[in-house]
Amino acid sequence: MKKIVFSAMRPTGRLHLGHWVGALQNWLALQEKYTCIFAIVDWHALMGEYEQSRSIRENIVEMAIDWIACGIDPKRSILFVQSHVPEHLELQMFLSCITPLGWLERNPTYKEQLREIKTRDLQTYGFLGYPVLQAADILLYRANAVPIGEDQLPHIELTREMTRRFNHIYKTDFFTDCEAILTKTPRLLGIDGRKMSKSYQNAIHLSDSPQEIERKTRSMFTDPKRIKLSDPGHPRKCNVYSYYTVFAEEKSQEVYQWCTNAQKGCTECKKTLSGILIKYLAPIQEKRAELVKDKNRVYGILEEGRRQAEVIAQGTIRHVREIVFGKDSPSGSDPSRP
Ligand code: SF4
C-alpha cells in the first residue's frame, strides 16, 4: 500500500510560475511515489474572498485545467473539488467542537493576514476557523503526509494537536499524526521584485500568451546599479538572473559572464529570457489549449475524483460518528449511507 499524501490549492485566480516552481513540480514528483489526493479547496477560497464568490466557480475549472496541463495525472492521483465532498464540513464540525479558541487566535498566519490584508474584512468566524477545515481536509483521508514549505509548519502542528486531542477525548487511536514533507523550492519573485502574487499583479501566468510574457519580462526589475550598457552588472542582485537559474540553469553561467563583463545589455538579456520562458511554457500551453476545447473531459475527471474521494471520506466519517456518538446511537450511524 502506498502512503497517502494530501495537498490542496485555493482557486483564487490563474496559476503562475510561482505555483509551478513552488508546488506543482513537487506534486509531479510525489505522484510517482505516493497515492496523491489533490483538492481544489473552494471553501477555503470563500473564507477569504466571500465578496468575490462568483469568480470561484470559473477559477476551479481553470485550476483543474492548469493542473492537468502541468502533468498531474488523474489516472494516478485523485483530483477533486472540496465542496463536492460534504464530509469535509462534517469533519470540520467534529473538530470545531474540540478545538480551543486560543489555538486559533494564536495562529501566526491568522494574525499576519489580519495585519497585512486591509482590502478585505477577515474578522469573521469562518476565517478564524480555517485551520480546523485544513485539519479536516487532511484527516478525512487519513493522509500520512502533507508537502509544505517551512512557513506552513505551524499549520501541521495545529493538525497534530487536534489529532491528539480528538484521540485523547474519545479514547481512540483512529487518527494518526501526519508528517510534513518539507519542500525546498527556489525563490521566485514577481516581475516587480516583490513576492509573486495575484494581489500585486506581478505574476507571469502559466496561460499568458507569448506577447504577455514578452511584455512582462521587458518590465522586470534588474540590477539598479547597472544604468549604462558599459556598467558591469551584479547578477545575484538581479531578478532576471534568478529566472535564468530556475528556468535555464545551463544558460545562467553565460548570463553571469555577459552581465559582469558588461558584454550585453539588460534589454537583450530580458529578450533572451522571454524566449526561454515562452519555449518553456509551450508544452503546458499546448495541453492547456486542448483541455480548454474539451471542458467536459475536465468535468469528467473532477467527477471521477469526487467519487474516489467520497468513498474514503464516507468511510472516515462513519468511523468518527461511531467513535463520538457510540455505535448504537441514532447519531452514530447514518442509514442513508452505505
Ligand atoms: Fe540582470 Fe541581465 Fe541586466 Fe545583468 S544583464 S543586470 S542579469 S537583466
Side-chain angles (χ1 to χ4, degrees):
M1 281 277 284
K2 281 187 187 171
K3 286 189 172 179
I4 295 178
V5 163
F6 178 89
S7 198
M9 277 189 205
R10 291 181 307 132
T12 54
R14 289 193 294 154
L15 294 192
H16 51 62
L17 288 175
H19 293 114
W20 168 246
V21 298
L24 285 165
Q25 271 188 327
N26 185 39
W27 286 12
L28 296 189
L30 290 173
Q31 74 177 358
E32 299 292 326
K33 204 168 152 200
Y34 299 96
T35 298
C36 290
I37 301 180
F38 297 126
I40 299 177
V41 285
D42 48 348
W43 288 126
H44 285 285
L46 190 66
M47 279 173 177
E49 313 230 345
Y50 52 87
E51 284 174 309
Q52 277 87 44
S53 55
R54 293 299 171 91
S55 59
I56 293 175
R57 176 187 280 251
E58 192 189 326
N59 290 340
I60 287 172
V61 183
E62 292 299 314
M63 178 166 274
I65 289 174
D66 277 333
W67 284 7
I68 303 163
C70 284
I72 300 299
D73 181 359
K75 291 204 179 77
R76 278 188 289 180
S77 303
I78 300 176
L79 279 69
F80 74 104
V81 181
Q82 182 190 35
S83 70
H84 294 178
V85 179
E87 283 76 10
H88 283 258
L89 296 186
E90 190 166 345
L91 188 54
Q92 182 201 23
M93 184 65 208
F94 280 111
L95 296 176
S96 295
C97 294
I98 62 158
T99 304
L101 212 44
W103 288 5
L104 302 176
E105 287 167 339
R106 281 195 297 273
N107 169 15
T109 317
Y110 172 70
K111 289 200 284 190
E112 185 195 311
Q113 300 219 325
L114 283 192
R115 213 174 38 241
E116 299 293 324
I117 300 175
K118 300 290 177 212
T119 49
R120 288 172 275 148
D121 180 7
L122 294 177
Q123 304 258 14
T124 62
Y125 166 65
F127 192 68
L128 175 68
Y130 85 82
V132 184
L133 182 57
Q134 258 178 350
D137 296 337
I138 297 166
L139 295 178
L140 194 56
Y141 302 100
R142 302 176 73 204
N144 304 99
V146 182
I148 53 167
E150 242 171 65
D151 55 327
Q152 294 162 312
L153 275 172
H155 291 165
I156 286 290
E157 197 40 45
L158 258 179
T159 300
R160 287 198 188 123
E161 285 183 24
M162 284 180 223
T163 305
R164 284 178 219 132
R165 192 165 162 85
F166 181 91
N167 287 350
H168 173 73
I169 291 174
Y170 299 111
K171 300 185 179 35
T172 178
D173 56 5
F174 181 62
F175 289 126
T176 48
D177 276 352
C178 79
E179 287 168 37
I181 303 179
L182 274 181
T183 45
K184 273 212 158 150
T185 51
R187 192 170 142 79
L188 194 72
L189 297 173
I191 55 174
D192 58 359
R194 293 186 292 170
K195 183 183 167 197
M196 192 179 286
S197 157
K198 179 192 93 163
S199 340
Y200 298 149
Q201 302 196 332
N202 63 357
I204 297 178
H205 298 102
L206 301 182
S207 52
D208 277 346
S209 66
Q211 293 75 16
E212 281 170 311
I213 295 173
E214 255 174 47
R215 181 183 59 76
K216 288 180 179 178
T217 315
R218 237 189 347 258
S219 66
M220 277 174 91
F221 271 41
T222 59
D223 171 11
K225 293 208 171 121
R226 190 162 191 220
I227 297 161
K228 300 190 294 302
L229 181 62
S230 54
D231 294 336
H234 304 85
R236 298 211 191 280
K237 292 193 179 143
C238 173
N239 197 18
V240 175
Y241 180 72
S242 71
Y243 275 63
Y244 274 103
T245 60
V246 174
F247 297 104
E249 210 192 343
E250 66 295 344
K251 183 102 184 150
S252 59
Q253 192 66 22
E254 192 188 330
V255 175
Y256 193 92
Q257 294 301 331
W258 81 43
C259 177
T260 49
N261 295 320
Q263 289 163 334
K264 283 191 186 180
C266 295
T267 308
E268 190 178 346
C269 186
K270 289 177 184 179
K271 199 168 174 10
T272 308
L273 177 66
S274 73
I276 287 168
L277 293 179
I278 291 165
K279 204 165 157 201
Y280 187 94
L281 287 175
I284 295 176
Q285 296 194 343
E286 215 171 287
K287 183 95 193 278
R288 209 182 182 285
E290 280 170 29
L291 291 160
V292 167
K293 276 195 238 143
D294 189 7
K295 285 199 178 158
N296 282 340
R297 187 173 148 215
V298 179
Y299 299 139
I301 288 169
L302 291 177
E303 173 53 21
E304 174 56 20
R306 181 201 64 77
R307 204 189 53 72
Q308 294 178 42
E310 195 177 65
V311 170
I312 308 172
Q314 287 184 347
T316 302
I317 286 295
R318 204 161 43 238
H319 272 88
V320 170
R321 280 172 165 257
E322 284 180 8
I323 289 165
V324 175
F325 296 119
K327 260 189 184 162
D328 303 324
S329 145
S331 303
S333 60
D334 179 351
S336 68
R337 292 202 167 127

